[in-house]
Structure formats: C-alpha cells, structure tokens
C-alpha cells in the first residue's frame, strides 16, 4: 500500500538515510524544516536551521545524506543548506548540528562526495567544496570563467569521485564540471547544442563515464566523459546522443538511472515529464494537469575512433539500435496504461 506524509511546506528534496533491516529505513525531506520519517510514515525527528538573521524557521533548499548500511558501524551523515547561506552538517544520533558553514549567499543545493567531502551550489554561481575532516572545516570556492547564476543542481557520488557536475539554471543556463581531485582544475562549462535549461542531472551508477541531463525542452542529453580528469572531459564537443520521448513539447522535471545493468550492457533511464504550460489569464503561464514517467534502456558507453568520434567496438551496434528507437521503452501516465515496447520514441543524434 501507499503512505501519505503531511508536509506543510513543499518538499525541496527527498533522500533515503539508511538501509537498515527491512521496514527500518529512514527518509529525510527538506522544506521549512528537515523531517526524518520511518518507512511506515512515522515522524522521527524535526530538525531546524536556527542560525539565521531572522532567528526563526528557515526555508531549507536541499538536503543530502550518505546512507548507512547494515554492515556499517557509522550512522548516516546528513547535510543541508538554506536561503541565508548556512550549510549544516548533522549528527543523526543526537539530532544536533556538528558543523555549520556561513557561505555568504543563498544556497541552492548540497551533495556529498567521496571521503565525506561536501559540494554546495550558491545562488551567485559559486561552488563551495567543504572538507569537514579539517579542524576548522576547509572551504574551497570555485567559479568557472564564464558567468553562471543559480539556482543550481549538483550531481556527484561515489561512482564518480574525481569530478562532479552542476546544472546552473539562472538566465541562459549552463552545465559545468568541477575537479574534485587535489589538483582542483578550473571548472569548465560544456557547450550544449540545446539552449534549454537543465532541470535535473545524474551520473550513471552502471557506467561512470555517462552523465544524463534532462532539459526543460523535453530532451535528455547523454554525455560521455573519460574516467579520469576534468581537462579531458572538457574536450567533449557535445553530448554523445540525445533522447526524447514521443510527446515532444513536454517539460522534463526529473530523471533517475537504475544501478542495475541488464543483458547487453543496458540500464534503465526514468524520465518524469509534465505538459508544457498553456497561456493563462493576463498572460500568465498556467500549468497543465497530468504528467508521465518514461522508461528507456540506455546503451553502454562506446569507444571513439580518433578525432571523428565514430562509435566502434561492441557498443556501437547497441548505440545504433538505440538511435533508431529500437530500445525498450515504456510510458506510465496519469491516464493509466503501461506497456513496454508499445511506444515509439524520437532519438536525435549529434
């Protein structure tokens, strides 16, 4: 069955906190406060950001967690950020703040990387890399040479420890990659063939070279990078290929990729879309009702044959089949109806 959890302020982020035994998982949501829920829907903790100029409940823009595993002796780590520029690291056993960083500008998103590092995106286009392991909490600030603006959304994880990506959503939008190695190379902005803003992005769990970016215009760009190095990754002329569901004109709102790899090296991408808004009264944008989830099998990474970028090797046949729209695809919409292979797709190649 399903459980409905009351949230008096729209949730800005949802994260699982720990594996635990079946039925003992915990879920964290951010909004006016951080709420920690049990898998059965019981509210376990209510955490507030109190260190702010207003001395009252603070809108929390994002939260991230490093899930504890049944074999791990350590509890989950939790990080959160708010509109007053405070990034907090929490002790989940006591519900208290271990460290708080005042970063001096409204914060959009926060994400854990490897070894406890924390990346935070600021509304003014700066990225903060925090190292809580240092006694005073080391803070590095990164900004690409090109001008970018928040809000921003971060993609980082243990499966891609050397770099992380931020989709900057202000003004014209930009996709930038950041060096998480000790060298800390200058962030690089990638040139996308689409001018649409990236609404969500995620590294592939199955293939660390692949980064999927859902664009607001309904397309999903799949970028393929070398396994090490921001400088090498910045040489990419554009996404390896672009996929779009059949219903062009829908807006992408979120995406996710499965960690499992199926036969042939495929893994599944799930894309959430909503219809584009219709003109409303007095020229305002009125959002249409309804939405859909689209499922597609992504091919494995392909090898490049020199400067031409032509796909070669075992993966090329799979990639070509995907580009023709032969891959397994399904749509799950608000009108009901679910079926694999019954929905044709549009694949746009570079």
């Amino acid at each position: 069955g399903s459980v409905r959890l009351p949230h008096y302020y729209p949730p800005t982020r949802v994260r699982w906190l720990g594996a635990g035994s079946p039925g003992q998982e915990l879920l964290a949501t951010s909004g006016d406060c951080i709420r920690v829920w049990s898998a059965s829907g019981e509210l376990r903790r209510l955490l507030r950001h109190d260190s702010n100029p207003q001395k009252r409940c603070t809108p929390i823009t994002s939260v991230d967690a490093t899930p504890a595993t049944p074999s791990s002796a350590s509890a989950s780590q939790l990080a959160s950020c708010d509109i007053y520029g405070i990034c907090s690291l929490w002790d989940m056993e006591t519900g208290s703040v271990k460290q708080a960083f005042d970063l001096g500008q409204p914060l959009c998103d926060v994400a854990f990387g490897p070894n406890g590092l924390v990346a935070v995106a600021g509304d003014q286009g700066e990225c903060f890399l925090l190292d809580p392991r240092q006694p005073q909490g080391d803070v590095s600030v990164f900004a690409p040479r090109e001008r970018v603006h928040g809000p921003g959304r971060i993609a980082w994880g243990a499966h891609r420890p050397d770099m992380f990506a931020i989709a900057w959503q202000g003004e014209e939008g930009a996709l930038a990659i950041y060096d998480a190695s000790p060298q800390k190379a200058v962030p690089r902005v990638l040139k996308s063939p689409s001018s649409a803003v990236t609404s969500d992005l995620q590294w592939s769990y199955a293939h660390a070279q692949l980064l999927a970016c859902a664009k607001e215009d309904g397309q999903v760009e799949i970028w393929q990078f070398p396994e090490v190095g921001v400088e090498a990754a910045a040489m990419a002329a554009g996404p390896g290929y672009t996929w779009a569901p059949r219903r062009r004109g829908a807006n992408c709102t979120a995406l996710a990729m499965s960690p499992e790899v199926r036969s042939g090296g495929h893994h599944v991408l799930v894309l959430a879309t909503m219809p584009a808004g219709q003109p409303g009264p007095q020229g305002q944008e009125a959002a249409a009702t309804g939405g859909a989830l689209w499922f597609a099998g992504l091919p494995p990474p392909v090898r490049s044959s020199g400067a031409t970028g032509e796909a070669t090797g075992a993966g090329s046949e799979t990639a070509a089949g995907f580009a023709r729209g032969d891959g397994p695809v399904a749509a799950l919409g608000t009108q009901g109806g679910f079926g694999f292979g019954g929905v044709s797709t549009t694949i746009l190649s570079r």
Side-chain angles (χ1 to χ4, degrees), residues 292-346:
L293 293 177
W294 300 84
F295 296 74
L298 292 186
V302 297
R303 291 187 293 112
S304 176
S305 60
T308 64
E310 181 181 356
T312 61
S316 60
E317 182 178 353
T318 306
F322 186 79
R324 291 193 303 268
D326 299 336
V329 180
L332 174 61
T334 57
Q335 302 302 319
F338 182 87
F340 285 94
V343 180
S344 61
T345 60
T346 302

Side-chain angles (χ1 to χ4, degrees), residues 91-158:
D91 183 335
M92 292 310 297
E93 293 184 352
T94 63
S96 60
V97 174
K98 295 192 298 183
Q99 287 177 281
F101 299 82
D102 187 349
L103 301 179
Q105 61 183 277
L107 303 177
C108 313
D109 198 11
V110 61
F112 276 106
N115 302 319
L117 296 176
V118 180
V120 189
D123 189 65
Q124 298 174 15
E126 293 176 324
C127 172
F128 304 89
L129 189 61
L130 314 181
D131 188 350
R133 300 169 300 179
Q134 302 301 321
Q136 301 301 319
D138 182 58
V139 180
S140 301
V141 184
F142 299 92
R145 294 186 178 96
E146 298 84 347
R147 188 170 177 81
V148 296
H149 291 281
R153 183 164 289 235
I154 306 172
W156 199 9

Side-chain angles (χ1 to χ4, degrees), residues 136-200:
Q136 301 301 319
D138 182 58
V139 180
S140 301
V141 184
F142 299 92
R145 294 186 178 96
E146 298 84 347
R147 188 170 177 81
V148 296
H149 291 281
R153 183 164 289 235
I154 306 172
W156 199 9
H159 47 288
R160 190 71 208 222
D162 63 306
M163 71 174 73
F164 58 94
I166 301 181
W168 294 105
Q169 300 168 335
E171 294 185 358
E172 297 181 357
L175 175 64
I177 51 176
Y178 294 78
D179 189 356
S181 71
Q183 288 73 30
K184 295 183 171 61
V186 176
R188 304 295 293 269
V189 172
L190 303 178
K191 298 185 181 299
S192 167
S194 169
S195 60
V197 170
T198 299
S199 57
D200 199 6

Side-chain angles (χ1 to χ4, degrees), residues 31-50:
D32 55 336
C33 305
I34 300 171
R35 291 172 171 82
V36 179
W37 311 84
S38 69
S40 60
E42 177 188 355
L43 182 62
R44 295 288 184 86
R45 285 188 185 276
L46 193 66
L47 309 176
R48 300 179 184 274
H49 274 213
D50 294 324

